[in-house]
Amino acid sequence: MPDVTTITPGKPIWIDLASPDLDASKQFYNQIFGWDAQQVGGPDMGNYTFFTLGGKQVAGGASMMMEGQHPAWTTYIAVEDADKTAAKIKDAGGEVVMGPHDIPESGRMAIFRDPTGAYLALWQAGGHRGSAIMQEPGSYSWTELLTRDLPRAKQFFQEVFGWDVESMSMGSAAPEGAMYTLWRLNGEWVGGAMDMPPQVPPQVPAYWQVYFGVANVDQSAQQIAKLGGKLLVEPMDFPGGRLAVAQDPQGAMFGIMQSTQ
């Protein structure tokens, strides 16, 4: 498995889960991805837990602690200075909803909402340098924005992180003419974006979706359903491989992805 040895500002660095039943989430993701769990925080930190694969950190998880919070996976973007980036977010029309504040001996973070309503987080690394493994089965593979105002999102993320965009066809499984947006930073892909599907209820706000790599999407999808998860998008091909979207038994959405590139 390739290790993540460098931190690149503007690229995803970490993901974590907010769960209404952290113990049940630990069990579910252990069975799906083979993750072990190591609690590192007390009740005041939602019993924050590191998920590990082969002894290396791949993600985090915590109990939900705020009123109105929903079960969800959150993507963190690496930054050199969380305070300066938070100021850029405000100048570009976004809203900083938490922080920036220090996580002792680990780093500095903030959570923000872009002008289209989707939440992301910032991570200024200290002792915690983010996911040690990416782009492999059982680890973070991709993150994408689903929004009802893609032009505004493109403008915002270019101003804040310097992300450029590239458009590509979504393939035969999508409506004719449907395009997919790729975010690029210095020529490297950092994530994707697409228009919110029309079947999504209007009360559902824009959101970022995390994908995890798997060796076989169809087998993993069957296992998710068997363990009490719900398949929201059945396994389907896309230009780079095969994917599915699910909801875990505690209500958090996530994707699984099998790359052919």
Side-chain angles (χ1 to χ4, degrees), residues 21-212:
D21 187 339
L22 186 57
D23 288 337
S25 293
K26 292 176 184 179
Q27 183 177 3
F28 174 79
Y29 287 102
N30 170 265
Q31 292 176 283
I32 296 298
F33 299 130
W35 292 350
D36 293 318
Q38 175 190 4
Q39 184 175 327
V40 294
D44 60 327
M45 295 180 62
N47 298 316
Y48 200 88
T49 294
F50 286 144
F51 293 116
T52 63
L53 185 65
K56 298 178 180 180
Q57 294 174 11
V58 292
S63 300
M64 297 191 304
M65 299 180 65
M66 295 186 295
E67 184 177 352
Q69 188 176 6
H70 298 287
W73 280 97
T74 298
T75 301
Y76 290 72
I77 306 299
V79 295
E80 293 180 322
D81 189 314
D83 295 83
K84 288 183 178 179
T85 306
K88 291 175 68 174
I89 286 167
K90 295 175 183 177
D91 290 343
E95 176 189 5
V96 178
V97 298
M98 179 185 294
H101 62 256
D102 290 330
I103 306 298
E105 301 180 5
S106 296
R108 190 163 175 80
M109 67 163 289
I111 297 175
F112 70 93
R113 182 165 53 188
D114 74 33
T116 78
Y119 288 88
L120 268 181
L122 307 176
W123 185 251
Q124 178 185 330
H128 176 59
R129 295 176 60 81
S131 299
I133 306 170
M134 291 184 177
Q135 312 299 332
E136 289 290 334
S139 69
Y140 167 90
S141 183
W142 192 247
T143 190
E144 71 182 10
L145 170 67
L146 290 87
T147 178
R148 295 180 179 85
D149 192 349
L150 190 51
R152 182 68 182 93
K154 290 178 180 179
Q155 178 187 9
F156 174 81
F157 287 105
Q158 205 288 323
E159 292 180 15
V160 174
F161 297 120
W163 291 351
D164 296 320
V165 296
E166 176 184 334
S167 296
M168 62 175 288
S169 170
M170 294 179 63
S172 59
E176 184 176 356
M179 301 297 290
Y180 190 77
T181 293
L182 292 167
W183 306 106
R184 285 187 178 273
L185 181 66
N186 299 324
E188 294 186 21
W189 294 349
V190 295
M194 58 185 289
D195 291 312
M196 186 76 75
Q199 64 268 29
V200 176
Q203 64 268 26
V204 176
Y207 63 94
W208 284 85
Q209 186 159 273
V210 173
Y211 286 81
F212 299 98

Side-chain angles (χ1 to χ4, degrees), residues 230-242:
K230 180 181 180 181
L231 288 177
L232 304 178
V233 177
E234 295 285 341
M236 59 175 283
D237 293 329
F238 71 101
R242 193 162 173 79

